[in-house]
Amino acid sequence: FQAEDGIRDKLVTGVQTCALPISGLAISLYHKTFDLIRIPEFIYNLVGDDYEYYIRRHSRTIADTVLYAIPRI
């Protein structure tokens, strides 16, 4: 996916830092329409099957849509 102002690099660094077997991730997906597909694919390619993935909207619109990656135990 494409991100502005080095956000992609920051996301990679953050996920690599936090993607430990004991850490969960919560990543906002609502900035661009294609983020709903591209960011989950991107995160899956970084951490794989060690996590269960959920997407939840916290409002009636696309705003506040979050990808949760929960470690499998």
Side-chain angles (χ1 to χ4, degrees):
F1 73 98
Q2 295 180 352
E4 301 171 8
D5 300 319
I7 292 175
R8 183 175 192 268
D9 293 336
K10 291 176 185 175
L11 180 60
V12 169
T13 302
V15 169
Q16 289 172 337
T17 301
C18 296
L20 303 172
I22 58 171
S23 297
L25 304 170
I27 301 168
S28 298
L29 298 179
Y30 55 85
H31 299 290
K32 295 181 181 177
T33 305
F34 288 111
D35 287 352
L36 291 169
I37 297 170
R38 292 183 181 153
I39 291 177
E41 286 179 341
F42 180 76
I43 300 301
Y44 179 81
N45 288 332
L46 286 175
V47 297
D49 288 329
D50 293 337
Y51 286 76
E52 292 182 20
Y53 301 91
Y54 304 92
I55 295 177
R56 180 171 180 204
R57 285 187 337 195
H58 293 275
S59 68
R60 293 181 185 217
T61 66
I62 195 170
D64 300 322
T65 302
V66 179
L67 167 69
Y68 294 96
I70 310 299
R72 293 180 192 264
I73 296 177

